[in-house]
Amino acid sequence: MSRLKAGNPAEKQRYEKILSAIHRVMADPIHPQFRKDLPQNYKAADVLGQYRLFFRIVPAAQATDVKADVVHFVWVNDEESIHRSGEPGDCYQVFLDKVLRGEIDEYTPDPLPQNERFRLHDDWGSSFVYVSFRRTIDGEEQHADSHLKLNQIASGSYLIDYVTVSKENIGLASSLLARLGESVDSHGIKLTYELESNDRNFGKVRHLLEKFHFELDDIIESVEIWIRRADRKRIG
């Protein structure tokens, strides 16, 4: 994945499509489109026709670090094993061989479950940075998640592409932005957010931006451009 992010335009496009496939799977991992005739209940998501993202749903009883089923992504093929149905080197056959040889890692539960978990999935300096935040609620019986994707627009500068929350009105976006703010301040990163006037959450989003040190920089037609500049004085 890291090679694709830093690769040529075609490889970067594939990386984007893989991220999109991950989001499709997370939205409905049991959808019939992912069912394949694969051993051990493995499934696969289509990526650009020639590539497949393989995964398996780990039941909550086996995922001892959480109280819900886990989607465990295990492998995505490359240009040396593109999908050619029935031909040698087809990605499905390569994957099956890996399973038989024990080369596919099993899901390993986190040893110490925590009430809140913030994760930066990519390094600053990458073309794309994916951020997630999870909170345990209702006595560890449920989880609520928030996700954010950043696109690099210049060295040390990122545009917030989207923010999603699985449960509204419990402060997920606030917690995610607070933790993200700590990271960008410590690494000297500037953030940009483009807020459209027809956004159904316009007022709420504006409040969050102001709360977490974004400043209105410009207005282009019906879009407000908000900037957050890093400030090490905020750290700690």
Side-chain angles (χ1 to χ4, degrees), residues 107-176:
Y107 174 76
T108 303
D110 289 341
L112 296 173
Q114 300 176 359
N115 182 54
E116 293 188 344
R117 186 183 306 164
F118 172 84
R119 185 178 178 189
L120 203 69
H121 295 259
D122 307 283
D123 296 328
W124 293 118
S126 302
S127 299
F128 314 98
V129 175
Y130 180 66
V131 185
S132 65
F133 176 82
R134 165 168 284 195
R135 175 182 296 156
T136 303
I137 56 178
D138 294 339
E140 298 189 353
E141 292 300 321
Q142 298 182 45
H143 289 88
D145 301 274
S146 182
H147 303 274
L148 181 149
K149 179 170 173 280
L150 301 163
N151 293 332
Q152 188 180 47
I153 54 179
S155 178
S157 182
Y158 286 81
L159 172 69
I160 297 177
D161 189 4
Y162 63 75
V163 182
T164 63
V165 296
S166 64
K167 192 177 184 67
E168 295 187 346
N169 301 319
I170 61 171
L172 284 175
S174 290
S175 297
L176 174 64

Side-chain angles (χ1 to χ4, degrees), residues 3 22 31 64 82 110 115 125 148 157 185 197 205 207 224:
R3 178 179 65 83
I22 290 174
H31 194 283
T64 55
I82 62 176
D110 289 341
N115 182 54
L148 181 149
S157 182
D185 283 338
S197 60
V205 174
H207 172 73
E224 294 184 352

Side-chain angles (χ1 to χ4, degrees), residues 26-68:
M26 293 301 292
D28 187 5
I30 63 173
H31 194 283
Q33 68 174 301
F34 303 130
R35 293 177 186 167
K36 308 294 178 183
D37 186 17
L38 296 170
Q40 302 178 28
N41 295 318
Y42 281 110
K43 303 175 184 294
D46 189 322
V47 180
L48 292 172
Q50 295 180 320
Y51 303 93
R52 295 295 184 273
L53 174 65
F54 294 87
F55 67 96
R56 183 166 60 177
I57 299 173
V58 181
Q62 299 176 27
T64 55
D65 57 335
V66 296
K67 300 296 183 180

Side-chain angles (χ1 to χ4, degrees), residues 183-236:
S183 181
V184 298
D185 283 338
S186 63
H187 289 85
I189 302 296
K190 183 174 78 171
L191 298 179
T192 300
Y193 188 85
E194 298 179 350
L195 177 59
E196 297 184 2
S197 60
N198 61 355
D199 190 310
R200 67 183 182 89
N201 293 314
F202 181 86
K204 183 185 296 186
V205 174
R206 219 173 190 272
H207 172 73
L208 282 175
L209 293 172
E210 292 173 342
K211 178 180 179 180
F212 292 104
H213 310 292
F214 283 79
E215 298 177 351
L216 181 59
D217 184 71
D218 198 3
I219 300 177
I220 302 176
E221 296 182 352
S222 60
V223 179
E224 294 184 352
I225 310 300
W226 290 77
I227 302 293
R228 186 190 191 281
R229 294 174 175 83
D231 186 351
R232 293 184 180 275
K233 295 179 181 178
R234 301 191 193 108
I235 301 174

